[in-house]
Amino acid sequence: MNDSPGRAVPGPSPSDGERPGAPEGRGGTEGGTPPPAGGPKWSAEQPPAGEWSSPGTPQPPKPPQQQPQPGAGWGSYGPQGPQGGQYGYPGGPGQWGKPPAAKPGVIPLRPLDLGEILDGAVATMRTHWRTVLPITLVVATVVQVISVLVQKYTYADLAIASDPGSQADLKEALDALGGSMVALLANGFVQLIGTIVATAMLTMIFSRAVLGHGSSIGEAWREARPQLPRLLGLTLLLALGGILVVLVLLLPGILLGSIGIALVGGLAALPLLVWLALKFSLASPALMLEKSSVLTSLRRSSRLVQGSWWRIFGITALTGLITAFVSAIIVWPLTAVGLAIGLADGGMEGLENGTAATGWAPLILSAVGAVIAQTITMPIQSGVTVLLYVDQRIRREALDLELARAAGLENYGPDTAAPPTGG
């Protein structure tokens, strides 16, 4: 207890009037006469009656505490925070984890963690499935139908040309090989175009889902169509850059005729390609959402990824593992059933000459599995990329303020709870 002069004692205490060695009359008289004012120890101003209660006395009910309004963002947290006497900064007293943030759409408007990015991608696919799933279903179906036709007739031509019992000469074998390569390249180009179209439209759908807005297939197509040529150019440029990196690192071994040097160059190319792929992984959403050029989107991605490469790598790698596992559990059983049907029709001879895998049953069942897998996994991969882009801009450029204004949230921002200054 502080006995300094001029300090009011917080309420009466039984020991205050019975201090050992206190002068007579210091603690009060039998009639309850208060001690004289202006003494050397105690202040004349004492707390009002009823201000303090002894232990066991019932306490009056406390007024209800004011809670933050639903949907309010960081601006609703003033110096005292959402709980009386508690501070509202992340990790402050009385808080666990991150404070609530405005969530007009599928993600809260603040820096995101891994679970929120994955949940945002899945939530968009679940909430807007009428728009998302038809896009991926149509693209996957077209790609797989063409792929089945190419595999059926291309592999059949190769099997005939390589048959040791046939009388085909070298020219026929080369013609069959050339035709097969053309068909495979055409199939790859169709897959590339389908993937670009789906990625562009899904990017627009996810960007609107962040704001809590829906999007029809027609709206997504109209928004994505002007940027499709640039997205194609970006994809081809990245592919060409990757090929050039590999050729440059393999060139010394090829020129010197050394398999060891070529192998070292190939091993060095792998981590370099991974690093470049992650460095420019956000170029696609930057190009689509900022309506920028190819080179500008590459520079934007490089700046956004800088300092967060390992974090983006971890999220991207985990997403790849999840989608690969989902695809495997869908495709492999159907492929196994198709091979079993092919073996039942052609026997062991079909397994030896490779025709068991090129029959209609295994090709169709494998394609059905691929269609289902791509319909599910393509939105997840595109959604994670878009949300990583949004997350990096929130962290570096305070994009959450712009998104809040676009979503129509009022009084959102870090300074909305600041007291008014005199003017």
Side-chain angles (χ1 to χ4, degrees):
M1 181 179 297
N2 192 352
D3 291 343
S4 60
R7 297 277 295 193
V9 182
S13 175
S15 61
D16 290 341
E18 300 176 2
R19 287 177 175 271
E24 184 178 354
R26 174 70 64 183
T29 62
E30 294 181 358
T33 304
K41 288 288 185 180
W42 312 108
S43 171
E45 297 181 0
Q46 296 296 320
E51 179 75 16
W52 306 94
S53 59
S54 60
T57 304
Q59 298 291 330
K62 295 182 180 180
Q65 295 177 347
Q66 184 178 0
Q67 300 293 332
Q69 296 296 324
W74 291 88
S76 63
Y77 287 82
Q80 298 299 318
Q83 304 287 339
Q86 308 267 341
Y87 290 94
Y89 60 86
Q95 292 195 18
W96 295 94
K98 297 179 181 179
K103 189 177 180 182
V106 295
I107 59 170
L109 298 185
R110 55 166 166 74
L112 307 174
D113 56 29
L114 169 63
E116 289 168 337
I117 290 176
L118 293 175
D119 180 70
V122 175
T124 302
M125 185 174 64
R126 184 176 62 248
T127 304
H128 305 283
W129 64 271
R130 291 181 177 86
T131 306
V132 172
L133 295 185
I135 293 174
T136 55
L137 179 61
V138 169
V139 170
T141 301
V142 171
V143 168
Q144 290 303 318
V145 167
I146 297 176
S147 178
V148 166
L149 296 177
V150 169
Q151 292 180 64
K152 175 63 179 177
Y153 296 106
T154 298
Y155 291 163
D157 293 341
L158 287 177
I160 294 174
S162 60
D163 187 0
S166 67
Q167 300 299 321
D169 56 8
L170 180 61
K171 183 177 182 303
E172 292 178 351
L174 292 177
D175 289 342
L177 181 61
S180 300
M181 293 299 297
V182 171
L184 291 176
L185 289 176
N187 181 39
F189 183 75
V190 171
Q191 292 185 5
L192 176 64
I193 296 299
T195 302
I196 288 176
V197 171
T199 300
M201 297 178 68
L202 291 175
T203 299
M204 297 305 175
I205 294 171
F206 275 92
S207 66
R208 294 176 65 86
V210 170
L211 303 177
H213 300 161
S215 180
S216 65
I217 296 178
E219 291 172 342
W221 170 250
R222 286 191 295 271
E223 292 178 358
R225 183 175 55 187
Q227 291 295 100
L228 285 178
R230 292 180 178 179
L231 185 59
L232 176 61
L234 173 65
T235 305
L236 294 177
L237 180 61
L238 291 176
L240 180 60
I243 294 173
L244 289 177
V245 168
V246 174
L247 290 179
V248 168
L249 292 177
L250 291 178
L251 188 61
I254 296 175
L255 295 178
L256 296 176
S258 173
I259 298 178
I261 295 178
L263 182 61
V264 171
L267 293 177
L270 181 60
L272 182 58
L273 289 176
V274 173
W275 180 76
L276 290 174
L278 267 295
K279 184 179 179 66
F280 300 120
S281 61
L282 304 183
S284 173
L287 183 143
M288 296 301 301
L289 299 179
E290 299 179 18
K291 311 297 182 183
S292 60
S293 64
V294 173
L295 296 180
T296 301
S297 65
L298 291 174
R299 289 193 295 267
R300 286 285 289 148
S301 177
S302 179
R303 285 195 296 267
L304 291 174
V305 174
Q306 185 178 6
S308 302
W309 190 94
W310 283 107
R311 177 175 177 272
I312 295 176
F313 170 77
I315 295 175
T316 304
L318 180 60
T319 304
L321 290 176
I322 293 173
T323 54
F325 177 76
V326 172
S327 298
I329 63 177
I330 295 174
V331 175
W332 286 357
L334 292 175
T335 302
V337 172
L339 287 176
I341 296 175
L343 289 176
D345 293 339
M348 296 303 297
E349 182 180 353
L351 184 62
E352 292 175 358
N353 56 28
T355 57
T358 58
W360 284 113
L363 288 177
I364 291 176
L365 287 177
S366 178
V368 170
V371 168
I372 298 174
Q374 290 179 7
T375 302
I376 297 174
T377 59
M378 194 183 299
I380 297 177
Q381 292 175 324
S382 299
V384 168
T385 302
V386 173
L387 295 182
L388 275 173
Y389 164 81
V390 173
D391 174 60
Q392 287 301 111
R393 288 199 61 186
I394 289 176
R395 293 172 183 269
R396 294 178 178 270
E397 303 171 2
L399 181 65
D400 55 325
L401 303 180
E402 183 178 345
L403 293 176
R405 288 192 293 269
L409 300 180
E410 298 180 356
N411 300 326
Y412 181 88
D415 55 348
T416 55
T421 58

